[in-house]
């Protein structure tokens, strides 16, 4: 029987003027060969709102500093289960859409775990994501991102 550690998180779809989304490449320390791409964001601190957590994580991971109110409402929420470094998590997470004309990512705010498990970043178009054989999370990111970019409301 798998025992899950509950976790709340906030994630950001950081999208540039070319409608490309920023993703980080990472790996699980317990499974170094398991590489994947994922959005900026992470776990919430105790008492932290999702918007405040998303803004904090965005600043730490990309150098982009925004007030929580600038993120607007989340574009979707989900619950996911995953292992990381030998621990199984059940994570409730909300995604915020943030548009920037362009952004030069600054990872100086990475903590020790991020420094050890994150290997790079790049901007992806919807078409590039749809055509890649590389693993990314969430697995329905292409559809969700396409809906968010189309302005169809919550995805």
């Amino acid at each position: 029987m798998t025992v899950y550690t509950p976790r709340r998180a906030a994630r950001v779809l950081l999208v540039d003027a070319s409608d490309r989304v920023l993703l980080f490449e990472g790996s699980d320390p317990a499974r170094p060969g398991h590489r994947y791409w994922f959005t900026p964001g992470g776990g919430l601190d105790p008492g932290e709102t999702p918007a405040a957590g998303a803004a904090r994580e965005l600043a730490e991971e990309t150098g982009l500093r925004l007030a929580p109110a600038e993120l607007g409402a989340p574009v979707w929420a989900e619950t996911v289960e995953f292992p990381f470094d030998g621990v199984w998590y059940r994570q409730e997470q909300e995604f915020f859409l943030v548009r920037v004309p362009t952004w030069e990512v600054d990872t100086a705010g990475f903590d020790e775990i991020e420094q050890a498990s994150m290997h790079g970043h790049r901007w992806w178009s919807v078409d590039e994501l749809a055509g890649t054989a590389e693993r990314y999370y969430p697995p329905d990111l292409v559809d969700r991102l396409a809906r968010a970019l189309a302005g169809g409301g919550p995805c």
Side-chain angles (χ1 to χ4, degrees), residues 41-110:
L44 300 181
D45 290 337
E48 190 172 43
T49 66
R56 176 184 51 75
E57 288 284 341
L58 194 60
E60 292 171 1
E61 295 178 354
T62 72
L64 179 59
R65 299 189 184 291
L66 298 173
E70 292 179 87
L71 276 67
V75 293
W76 99 79
E78 65 182 7
T79 300
V80 295
E81 296 171 347
F82 62 92
F84 186 80
D85 206 13
V87 177
W88 275 91
Y89 293 94
R90 179 172 288 133
Q91 179 167 287
E92 294 177 12
Q93 56 189 10
E94 295 183 29
F95 287 78
F96 294 84
L97 175 64
V98 174
R99 289 184 170 272
V100 291
T102 184
W103 186 252
E104 188 66 36
V105 175
D106 176 0
T107 60
F110 276 9

Side-chain angles (χ1 to χ4, degrees), residues 13-17 19-21 97-100 123 145 149:
L13 301 171
L14 185 61
V15 176
D16 71 6
D19 284 345
R20 299 176 306 164
V21 66
L97 175 64
V98 174
R99 289 184 170 272
V100 291
W123 296 88
L145 180 59
L149 294 176

Side-chain angles (χ1 to χ4, degrees), residues 116-137:
S117 64
M118 293 168 74
H119 312 292
H121 63 272
R122 71 170 272 204
W123 296 88
W124 293 79
S125 71
V126 171
D127 288 343
E128 288 170 332
L129 278 172
T132 188
E134 295 189 52
R135 185 181 295 117
Y136 56 83
Y137 293 111

